């Protein structure tokens, strides 16, 4: 087994035991990139020589944390002091922000090795798409806007990577690429230094190839409960199977993945109950869109004033208010979201431990002109709740499909414990059994 | 009259009519700074030669907006591409962020001349205080954390300046320095590039020496309604006199200012009614503190991990959770705030046009070790509502005292129209008449 094939947590253990050096890990990872990057096109910036020098430095130092020496990719709309941050926009071509974003700073000072920047949708928002291809089928999108991060982790070109989610930019690519991802509770980690799109929605998350990988990073961020959350047993776990108010948008592969996850959990002793969210939750996707477009108006005003000719029309439309979002609509969306957040937290307790719900409609669509539909993510982003994406297996086209589990606000560490227990049950790989009907798909 | 004495809107008119050049304005302003800065100590960075060259460039160009050629100060925790951003922290001594903050970019591309950076409290949060003195009495604080911006505008060392408010860092210094200021609706302008403290609370605002000055900047930011809000008549204006739930913290000068403002408005035909906010509003100040401290934990984690030895103990405490904020307390604070926001907006309409409330307890306290008490600001920051600070006159110590008017979310442009009508009635300068009793102070 080559070092690049190790998960972050496997490599962390070997580095701590001095059985693997940071230099060996990064050299192996860089070799993998050299082979695969011309095909996958996940990276917008790499400096292999610098990475090797950094790895050597790390080998001289005592480990600062379990992230010591692990390779990290950074979505190219998150600032890095030593690499350009281009936002997939000609406005910021080769731009050097001069300072690490908060999330980059935290993992860097925990010993992680920032390997490079990964391609994204223009400003992680709209307009230009990433050049990145889905490692499972090059004709398909890896999803977006965390396109490069998702594909790079899936293709074992890096062990961990940051993404962000405003609509469904983080958990959807996790599903499309067959990897693990967490979108934490909004505000649980600082979003400073990630390009602003919507201050109410933008959330930094990360990808790994196991739940343990995700936990390593959660520890570096000192997420509430990371050191106290108790291990979980699937037996007796109360799982709410939530088709979500946009179930009509699911595709056969997405339905099959949800059904398979539910059946596998039930077979392992979980108590799977069908959960229908109260009616107002049906309006949350529209509210998410209102807030995203409404807040995008102020977010992109600086670029509009200075470089309008370099912006995709999407951004001109946002700033000029082409979406027609009124202050009244924005306020109504804020207030609805606040109500639903409280209601949502109240669902958990005696009757419910965790929610199981689709991560994407189905397999990644064909073509790089699209990044797929974020309908199954928008609501959770607006609810500010933590979501963990877990792979289930392959759809009929041979592309991965995952599900996500969701908990109440600030239960991130506990949710990762649940994920840790559920993942071995859910993530069986192989082709997901076909589902005949909607009834079968949702029967617990 | 020297050009530096002009308000922003007066200078704007003269520049538009080509009766004043940008170079004349900046040279006069720089001369004023040269005379006064050794005494006031408002600035952390100035480059006079560069400012003159920029002014000459602006004189060659057609005006981009009414801000063309006006001088702007920037609180030194807001990024500027061409000047250091030091956050009053040794961590960021002479730090060059490489990119303008969103607010700086907007006014710069509207033609404003960024003159320099103004002193602040460490990270606009705690710890180290600004060196700035109150221009009205050098032994007193100008307030904080927008200390330098408030004092510089008051002392006519600059025409306009950015501040920020997380607790009461913007409107309180407006009151202490006898100037005008607006804290817009949270999210109405982008906070990107201003140091993160609390993502729920941090709000960029600006100072001027008249309501018209504030309106010029509102126009540059295209605040909703800036081009459609109708002029307002004081006669018949329904003003809610709100002592606020922390009235016990007011001092004689603050009570006198509120009473004087109410009486003056009433004498001009306004309908002043006493307004008591519903009981839950009494818990908002505590909720603001919970959110500020709770969110500060993630905000300062990067600096804590990398430069703990250079941080004031305040920040170590925040990150280590010395305030003991639990996720449950944070969630309760979020939910309370959301409820009160909706209730607050609902107060306006037939019965109420605007709220009149203290901007600070009283005059600026003595000493530079303090920046005064933000008790009268915390609630409004958390409510996300726009606040405009208006001077009233001088207290018994000869220091200015103002009030603030407050409207519902996103009524910024309408609130500035109300301020425009009320300011000539309220802002009479001179010593504010003494108030005998609390009853007199609050009687309409």
């Amino acid at each position: 087994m080559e070092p690049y094939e190790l998960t972050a947590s496997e490599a962390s253990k070997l580095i701590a035991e001095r059985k693997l050096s940071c230099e060996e890990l990064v050299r192996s990872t860089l070799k993998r990139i050299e082979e695969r990057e011309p095909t996958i096109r996940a990276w917008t910036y790499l400096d292999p020589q610098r990475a090797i020098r950094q790895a050597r430095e790390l080998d001289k130092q005592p480990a600062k944390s379990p992230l010591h020496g692990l390779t990290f990719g950074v979505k190219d709309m998150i600032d890095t002091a030593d690499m350009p941050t281009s936002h997939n926009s000609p406005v910021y071509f080769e731009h050097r922000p001069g300072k690490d974003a908060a999330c980059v700073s935290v993992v860097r000072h925990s010993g992680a090795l920032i390997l490079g920047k990964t391609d994204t949708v223009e400003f992680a928002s709209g307009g230009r798409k990433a050049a990145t291809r889905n490692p499972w089928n090059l004709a398909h999108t890896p999803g977006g806007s965390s396109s490069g991060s998702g594909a790079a982790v899936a293709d074992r070109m890096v062990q961990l990577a940051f993404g962000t989610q405003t609509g469904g930019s983080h958990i959807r690519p996790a599903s499309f690429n067959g990897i693990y991802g967490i979108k934490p509770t909004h505000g649980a980690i600082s979003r400073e230094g990630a390009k602003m799109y919507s201050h109410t929605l933008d959330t930094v998350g990360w990808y790994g190839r196991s739940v343990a990988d995700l936990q390593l990073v959660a520890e570096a961020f000192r997420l509430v409960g990371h050191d106290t959350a108790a291990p979980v047993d699937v037996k007796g776990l109360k799982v709410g199977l939530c088709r979500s108010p946009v179930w009509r948008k699911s595709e056969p592969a997405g339905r099959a993945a949800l059904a398979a996850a539910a059946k596998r959990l039930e077979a392992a002793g979980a108590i799977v109950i069908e959960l229908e969210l109260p009616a107002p939750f049906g309006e949350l996707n529209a509210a998410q869109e209102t807030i995203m477009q409404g807040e995008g108006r102020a977010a992109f005003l600086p670029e509009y004033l200075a470089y309008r000719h370099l912006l995709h029309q999407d951004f001109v439309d946002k700033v000029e208010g082409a979406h027609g979002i009124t202050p009244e609509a924005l306020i109504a969306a804020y207030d609805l979201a606040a109500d639903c957040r409280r209601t949502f937290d109240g669902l958990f307790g005696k009757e419910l431990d965790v929610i199981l719900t689709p991560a994407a409609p189905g397999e990644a669509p064909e073509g790089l002109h699209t990044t797929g539909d974020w309908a199954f993510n928008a609501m959770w982003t607006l609810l500010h709740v933590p979501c963990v994406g877990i792979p289930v297996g392959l759809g009929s086209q041979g592309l991965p499909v995952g599900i996500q589990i969701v908990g109440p606000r600030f239960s991130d560490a506990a949710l990762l414990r649940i994920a840790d227990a559920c993942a071995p049950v859910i993530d069986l790989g192989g082709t997901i059994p076909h589902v005949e009907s909607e009834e079968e798909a949702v029967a617990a």
Side-chain angles (χ1 to χ4, degrees), chain A residues 115-185:
Chain A
L115 200 56
K117 305 302 282 280
T118 58
D119 207 358
T120 174
V121 170
E122 190 172 348
F123 298 118
S125 164
R128 295 153 52 108
K129 302 293 184 288
T132 312
R133 292 159 161 169
N134 192 309
W136 294 81
N137 183 332
L138 303 177
H140 289 242
T141 178
S145 60
S146 307
S147 318
S149 284
V153 169
D155 206 47
R156 294 169 295 169
M157 289 196 281
V158 73
Q159 296 170 310
L160 298 161
F162 283 122
T164 62
Q165 180 156 311
T166 301
S169 286
H170 192 72
I171 295 296
R172 175 164 106 270
S175 178
F176 286 175
N177 291 283
I179 58 173
Y180 288 81
I182 178 171
K183 180 208 83 65
T185 300

Side-chain angles (χ1 to χ4, degrees), chain A residues 46-311:
Chain A
L46 280 168
D47 185 342
Q49 290 311 313
R50 187 191 162 91
I52 291 165
R53 290 196 305 275
Q54 285 195 337
R56 282 187 188 157
E57 259 314 297
L58 288 166
D59 279 326
K60 293 175 193 168
Q61 297 166 20
K64 285 181 188 162
S65 90
L67 292 186
H68 191 84
L70 302 186
T71 59
F72 229 111
V74 178
K75 185 174 179 178
D76 197 21
M77 44 67 77
I78 299 176
D79 287 349
T80 39
D82 51 354
M83 299 172 188
T85 303
S86 302
H87 306 278
N88 191 2
S89 163
V91 171
Y92 291 96
F93 181 71
E94 300 268 306
H95 168 67
R96 296 264 176 175
K99 187 183 160 191
D100 281 338
C103 61
V104 172
S105 182
V106 166
V107 300
R108 203 195 283 273
H109 288 286
S110 303
L113 195 158
I114 308 298
L115 200 56
K117 305 302 282 280
T118 58
D119 207 358
T120 174
V121 170
E122 190 172 348
F123 298 118
S125 164
R128 295 153 52 108
K129 302 293 184 288
T132 312
R133 292 159 161 169
N134 192 309
W136 294 81
N137 183 332
L138 303 177
H140 289 242
T141 178
S145 60
S146 307
S147 318
S149 284
V153 169
D155 206 47
R156 294 169 295 169
M157 289 196 281
V158 73
Q159 296 170 310
L160 298 161
F162 283 122
T164 62
Q165 180 156 311
T166 301
S169 286
H170 192 72
I171 295 296
R172 175 164 106 270
S175 178
F176 286 175
N177 291 283
I179 58 173
Y180 288 81
I182 178 171
K183 180 208 83 65
T185 300
H186 183 257
I189 76 163
S190 172
R191 58 76 44 77
E192 188 163 35
K195 183 81 182 88
M196 180 80 80
Y197 176 10
S198 159
H199 64 89
T200 299
L201 299 165
D202 297 348
T203 312
V204 175
W206 52 93
Y207 294 125
R209 292 196 291 273
S210 71
V211 175
D213 291 5
L214 303 182
Q215 284 172 314
L216 286 186
V217 183
E219 193 179 322
F221 283 107
R222 304 180 179 209
L223 282 192
V224 180
H226 74 90
D227 47 353
T228 55
V232 168
D233 196 337
V234 174
K235 199 171 155 59
L237 187 73
K238 284 156 287 186
V239 178
L241 177 65
C242 177
R243 293 185 292 167
S244 110
V246 288
W247 183 243
R248 68 188 182 284
K249 295 204 170 193
S250 65
E251 297 160 10
R255 295 176 178 225
L258 190 70
K263 282 181 180 164
R264 291 168 186 179
L265 286 170
E266 206 164 39
I271 301 155
V272 180
I273 45 171
E274 200 173 323
L275 180 84
E276 190 154 346
L277 295 169
F281 284 69
E283 298 163 42
L284 283 174
N285 269 26
Q288 186 275 343
E289 177 77 14
T290 296
I291 291 171
M292 187 168 69
Q293 299 299 354
E295 294 184 353
R297 194 164 170 267
F300 297 111
L301 179 62
E303 286 81 8
Y304 173 89
L305 290 176
Y307 310 102
R308 184 178 164 176
H309 59 294
L310 295 177
L311 293 178

Side-chain angles (χ1 to χ4, degrees), chain A residues 232-242 258 261-276 347-357 390 403-406 415 418-419 421-422 425-426 442 444:
Chain A
V232 168
D233 196 337
V234 174
K235 199 171 155 59
L237 187 73
K238 284 156 287 186
V239 178
L241 177 65
C242 177
L258 190 70
K263 282 181 180 164
R264 291 168 186 179
L265 286 170
E266 206 164 39
I271 301 155
V272 180
I273 45 171
E274 200 173 323
L275 180 84
E276 190 154 346
L347 298 175
F348 293 84
K350 270 191 185 167
E351 309 284 321
L352 183 69
D353 294 317
V354 69
I355 280 174
L356 170 69
T357 191
I390 300 175
I403 54 78
Q404 61 184 321
I405 60 171
V406 181
L415 187 67
I418 294 173
C422 294
V425 173
I426 292 174
V442 300

